[in-house]
Amino acid sequence: MKIFAINGPNLNLLGIREPDIYGRQDYAALEQLIRDTCTSEGIDVEILQSNHEGILVDAIQEARLKFDGIIINAGAYTHTSLAIHDALKAIGLPVIEVHISDISRREEFRRFSYPGLLAVKEFIGLGLDGYRQAVLYLKAHLEGTQKG
Ligand code: CA2
């Protein structure tokens, strides 16, 4: 099983500012959490962070034959990018959406999510632990053992 974890714009700034919203752990800690979870679950993982919409779209297109599923936090592109939505839809892999903060309880403009239209499951407002839960959920989903 091989999964692709995608992080969008500004997530590389984690731990640098806004700790009240995004916590104190930095982006390296987030990648380590994803890698550690995948290692203990026997999952191969590739992780991408980019601040560029086109790079994210290219990577999603290329994921079709390389991965079994996608975990995505598209950052602010969550709320704006029909291009990322269309790429995710085109490749047809199962998508799990993650947001560190609770986007349903912040500004109105963060409430709508394009990936949310396609996601089989969303983990929102759980901090970095949402990524760990997303890995476990995606594994169970791909094995056909997911209950909820
Ligand atoms: O809550 C999330 O995971 C978000 O996807 C994070 C995005 C935001 O645009 C989404 O609405 C919700 C922002 C990424 C982090 O931005 C930072 C900016 C400054 C300092 C630390 C992080």
Side-chain angles (χ1 to χ4, degrees), residues 4-142:
F4 193 21
I6 302 172
N7 286 305
N10 296 313
L11 283 154
N12 56 311
L13 297 179
L14 279 180
I16 293 172
R17 284 180 42 227
E18 304 195 70
D20 44 324
I21 300 175
Y22 300 115
R24 296 194 179 279
Q25 291 186 283
D26 65 10
Y27 184 73
L30 169 56
E31 285 213 352
Q32 199 55 54
L33 170 70
I34 296 169
R35 288 188 201 290
D36 288 348
T37 307
C38 287
T39 299
S40 56
E41 294 297 323
I43 299 168
D44 288 335
V45 65
E46 198 170 296
I47 304 173
L48 170 71
Q49 190 279 323
S50 177
N51 296 325
H52 303 277
E53 187 175 19
I55 289 175
L56 296 167
V57 170
D58 285 346
I60 292 166
Q61 288 184 13
E62 288 161 16
R64 190 170 68 90
L65 300 174
K66 283 165 60 181
F67 300 98
D68 301 303
I70 289 183
I71 293 170
I72 186 165
N73 180 350
Y77 288 141
T78 300
H79 320 295
T80 64
S81 181
L82 184 55
I84 289 175
H85 167 279
D86 286 353
L88 290 169
K89 190 169 183 184
I91 64 167
L93 294 178
V95 173
I96 313 289
E97 182 178 27
V98 177
H99 292 287
I100 297 166
S101 66
D102 186 349
I103 55 173
S104 71
R105 291 172 174 268
R106 296 183 62 192
E107 304 94 329
E108 178 72 37
F109 55 78
R110 292 188 204 273
R111 290 195 190 147
F112 175 75
S113 165
Y114 277 105
L117 300 174
L118 306 165
V120 297
K121 181 79 175 173
E122 296 165 274
F123 292 93
I124 291 175
L126 302 172
L128 300 196
D129 194 60
Y131 287 86
R132 186 189 63 80
Q133 294 186 42
V135 170
L136 300 180
Y137 189 97
L138 182 54
K139 181 185 181 192
H141 177 81
L142 290 169

